[in-house]
C-alpha cells in the first residue's frame, strides 16, 4: 500500500520510473495490535491480490472486499486495484470499476499526487479492459 | 369421584384453538381481500376473533393454574420449556432480519454508491434518542429484576411499584420510538437502508408493545394476589420475554444505529 514514506519519495522524485525507494521488508500490520505477528506490506498486498484474483469471486465478495479495503487507513497499491478491476470485468460490473477509481481519489485525501500516479500505473489495464475514468466521462465534477 | 393418578394436566376440551385457527384464516385471506378488493372487513373480523381467542385462552390458563391448581411442578416445567422454545423461535425470526441487514450493508451495491450508509441517506445520530432508548430499556431490565425479587420476598407493594415502573419505561421507549419514526429523514421506501431499518426496528417495537402488555397483565394479576413467593411463572415468562426484547434492542443499536451509521 502507499503510505507516507512512499509519498515523500513521490514528492522528491521527478523521473517516471523508480519514483520511490524504501526498504521493502518493513513490518507494518494492516491493523495495529499490541502483540501478535505483524503482517508485512508485501504480505498485505499479496493477500488482497489473491482475494480479488479468485476466478469465481461473486459480486457480493467483490463489493465486500472493496468496502473492507477502502475502510483501511491507506491507499491500495496499483497491483491490488488491478486485480479488483479484473474481478469487475469478470463480473461485468463497470459501475464498480469506475467507483474504485473514485474511491482511490477520495482515499488520497490532501495528497493530490497519488491519484494521477495510480491512474498512470493502471493505464494499460484500463485500456485493456475498456474502463473509462470519471474525468473522461465528465462525472468527476458534481 | 375419579381422580388422576399422575401430576400432569389433561386439559378440558376448549374451543379456543379452533377460534384461533379460524382467526388466522380470516386474517390471511382478509389481507388478500384487502389488497385486491379494498375491503378490510374480513381482516378486521379475523383480528377481533384473534383478540377474543387470546383473551379467553389465556384467561382459562390462569383459571386452570391459579384457581384450580393444575400447574404442578412437572406441568410448570413444561410451561417453562414452552416459553424458552418460543423465545428461541423469535430469536431466529430476528436473525433473519439481521442477516438481511448485514448482507446489504457489508457489501453495498453500486446503486447505493457502493457505500454504507447509502448516498443520500442521513442516518439518525446514535448518541441522541437511540442512546436514551438504550438506557430506558436497560433500566427496565433492572426494574423487572427488582420486581421479581420483590415477588420472591413477599414484598407486595414494592413488587407493584417496580412492575409498574417497568411498564412505564416500556411505554416511554415506545413513545420515543414513535416520535423518532415520525421525525426520521428517511422512510421505509428509501432503498434497502429504509427497508432493513424499519422492518427490523419495527418488529422490535411490536415486541416491546407485546412485552409491555404481558407485563401489564402480570401487574393486574399481582394486584389481585395471583402470585405467591414460590409460584409466579406467568411473571417469570413475562420477564424472560422482556429481557429478550432488551437484548434484541442492544443488537439493533450496535448493528444498525451505531455501526450502520
Amino acid at each position: 500500500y502507499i503510505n507516507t514514506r512512499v509519498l515523500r519519495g513521490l514528492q522528491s522524485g521527478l523521473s517516471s520510473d523508480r519514483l520511490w525507494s524504501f526498504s521493502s521488508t518493513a513490518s507494518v500490520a494492516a491493523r495495529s495490535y499490541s502483540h501478535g505477528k505483524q503482517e508485512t506490506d508485501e504480505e498485505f498486498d499479496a493477500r488482497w491480490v489473491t482475494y480479488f484474483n479468485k476466478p469465481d469471486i461473486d459480486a457480493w465478495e467483490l463489493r465486500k472486499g472493496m468496502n473492507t479495503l477502502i475502510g483501511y487507513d491507506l491507499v491500495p497499491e496499483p497491483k491490488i486495484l488491478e486485480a479488483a478491476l479484473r474481478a469487475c470485468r469478470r463480473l461485468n460490473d463497470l459501475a464498480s470499476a469506475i467507483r474504485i477509481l473514485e474511491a482511490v481519489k477520495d482515499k488520497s485525501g490532501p495528497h493530490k499526487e497519488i491519484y494521477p500516479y495510480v491512474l498512470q500505473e493502471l493505464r494499460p489495464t484500463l485500456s485493456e479492459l475498456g474502463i473509462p475514468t470519471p474525468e473522461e466521462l465528465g462525472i468527476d465534477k458534481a | 369421584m375419579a381422580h388422576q393418578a399422575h401430576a400432569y394436566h389433561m386439559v378440558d376440551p376448549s374451543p379456543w384453538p379452533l377460534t384461533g385457527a379460524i382467526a388466522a384464516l380470516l386474517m390471511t385471506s382478509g389481507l388478500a381481500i384487502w389488497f385486491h378488493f379494498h375491503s378490510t372487513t374480513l381482516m378486521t373480523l379475523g383480528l377481533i376473533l384473534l383478540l377474543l381467542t387470546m383473551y379467553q385462552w389465556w384467561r382459562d390458563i390462569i383459571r386452570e393454574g391459579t384457581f384450580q391448581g393444575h400447574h404442578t411442578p412437572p406441568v410448570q416445567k413444561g410451561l417453562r420449556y414452552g416459553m424458552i422454545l418460543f423465545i428461541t423461535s423469535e430469536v431466529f425470526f430476528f436473525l433473519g432480519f439481521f442477516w438481511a441487514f448485514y448482507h446489504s450493508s457489508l457489501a453495498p451495491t453500486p446503486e447505493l454508491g457502493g457505500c454504507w450508509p447509502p448516498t443520500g441517506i442521513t442516518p439518525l445520530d446514535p448518541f441522541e434518542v437511540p442512546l436514551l432508548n438504550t438506557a430506558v430499556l436497560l433500566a427496565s431490565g433492572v426494574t423487572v429484576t427488582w420486581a421479581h425479587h420483590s415477588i420472591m420476598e413477599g414484598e407486595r407493594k414494592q413488587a407493584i411499584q417496580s412492575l409498574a415502573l417497568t411498564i412505564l419505561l416500556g411505554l416511554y421507549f415506545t413513545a420515543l420510538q414513535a416520535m423518532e419514526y415520525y421525525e426520521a429523514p428517511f422512510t421505509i421506501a428509501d432503498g434497502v437502508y429504509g427497508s432493513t431499518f424499519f422492518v427490523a426496528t419495527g418488529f422490535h417495537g411490536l415486541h416491546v408493545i407485546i412485552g409491555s402488555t404481558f407485563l401489564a397483565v402480570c401487574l393486574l394479576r399481582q394486584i389481585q394476589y395471583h402470585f405467591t413467593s414460590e409460584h409466579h411463572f406467568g411473571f417469570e415468562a413475562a420477564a424472560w420475554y422482556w429481557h429478550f426484547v432488551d437484548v434484541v434492542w442492544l443488537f439493533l443499536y450496535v448493528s444498525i444505529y451505531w455501526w450502520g451509521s
Side-chain angles (χ1 to χ4, degrees), chain B residues 121 186-195 198:
Chain B
I121 294 282
F186 53 86
T187 73
I188 197 172
D190 284 322
V192 75
Y193 184 89
S195 298
F198 284 107

Side-chain angles (χ1 to χ4, degrees), chain B residues 167-234:
Chain B
I167 295 162
L168 280 174
L169 288 167
L171 292 172
Y172 186 33
F173 176 94
T174 304
L176 285 168
Q177 261 308 57
M179 185 217 67
E180 282 281 273
Y181 270 29
Y182 185 73
E183 299 283 346
F186 53 86
T187 73
I188 197 172
D190 284 322
V192 75
Y193 184 89
S195 298
T196 50
F197 181 91
F198 284 107
V199 169
T201 62
F203 270 116
H204 173 262
L206 179 63
H207 284 68
V208 170
I209 292 167
I210 292 168
S212 303
T213 308
F214 196 170
L215 288 167
V217 167
C218 287
L219 178 60
L220 288 172
R221 295 185 67 200
Q222 163 67 8
I223 291 169
Q224 295 179 323
Y225 301 93
H226 286 203
F227 299 136
T228 74
S229 55
E230 305 284 308
H231 189 160
H232 43 264
F233 177 65

Side-chain angles (χ1 to χ4, degrees), chain B residues 11 54 85-86 230:
Chain B
V11 184
M54 291 194 293
L85 289 171
F86 173 65
E230 305 284 308

Side-chain angles (χ1 to χ4, degrees), chain B residues 58-209:
Chain B
W58 283 323
R59 174 208 64 194
D60 284 356
I61 294 174
I62 291 171
R63 285 174 175 175
E64 291 157 6
T66 305
F67 300 125
Q68 297 177 336
H70 285 291
H71 290 179
T72 60
V75 172
Q76 203 193 112
K77 193 164 175 217
L79 292 170
R80 285 175 188 275
Y81 275 128
M83 193 65 195
I84 287 167
L85 289 171
F86 173 65
I87 291 176
T88 305
S89 77
E90 295 247 82
V91 167
F92 282 106
F93 180 71
F94 277 97
L95 273 174
F97 296 120
F98 277 99
W99 182 351
F101 169 73
Y102 276 111
H103 176 101
S104 310
S105 59
L106 284 169
T109 60
E111 291 85 349
L112 307 173
C115 52
W116 194 275
T119 309
I121 294 282
T122 29
L124 301 172
D125 186 339
F127 300 115
E128 301 229 331
V129 174
L131 186 59
L132 173 59
N133 271 344
T134 304
V136 167
L137 282 186
L138 285 173
S140 72
V142 171
T143 54
V144 81
T145 306
W146 173 17
H148 190 195
H149 283 269
S150 302
I151 292 172
M152 289 190 291
E153 287 154 35
E155 293 276 356
R156 175 183 166 77
K157 197 159 75 97
Q158 280 198 47
I160 290 168
Q161 283 173 347
S162 49
L163 191 42
L165 186 50
T166 307
I167 295 162
L168 280 174
L169 288 167
L171 292 172
Y172 186 33
F173 176 94
T174 304
L176 285 168
Q177 261 308 57
M179 185 217 67
E180 282 281 273
Y181 270 29
Y182 185 73
E183 299 283 346
F186 53 86
T187 73
I188 197 172
D190 284 322
V192 75
Y193 184 89
S195 298
T196 50
F197 181 91
F198 284 107
V199 169
T201 62
F203 270 116
H204 173 262
L206 179 63
H207 284 68
V208 170
I209 292 167

Side-chain angles (χ1 to χ4, degrees), chain A residues 43-139:
Chain A
E43 284 164 344
F44 176 89
D45 294 347
R47 189 161 56 80
W48 277 103
V49 167
T50 305
Y51 181 93
F52 287 114
N53 277 346
K54 190 167 95 123
D56 53 347
I57 192 173
D58 70 32
W60 192 92
E61 287 167 337
L62 168 67
R63 298 193 302 262
K64 170 75 167 89
M66 280 313 304
N67 269 272
T68 306
L69 187 60
I70 295 300
Y72 296 143
D73 184 19
L74 51 89
V75 180
E77 278 284 323
K79 62 163 118 54
I80 299 175
L81 299 168
E82 187 196 340
L85 291 173
R86 290 189 183 281
C88 289
R89 173 64 269 190
R90 293 199 293 288
L91 290 162
N92 298 315
D93 190 352
L94 179 62
S96 294
I98 299 170
R99 196 57 167 158
I100 288 170
L101 301 179
E102 288 180 314
V104 171
K105 187 171 178 194
D106 185 70
K107 286 303 287 186
S108 307
H111 305 287
K112 301 247 189 271
E113 58 294 318
I114 296 183
Y115 181 59
Y117 163 73
V118 168
L119 282 187
Q120 180 192 302
E121 293 295 301
L122 289 176
R123 184 45 59 195
T125 306
L126 294 173
S127 304
E128 181 198 328
L129 300 180
I131 299 170
T133 66
E135 292 71 29
E136 286 160 14
L137 293 172
I139 60 171

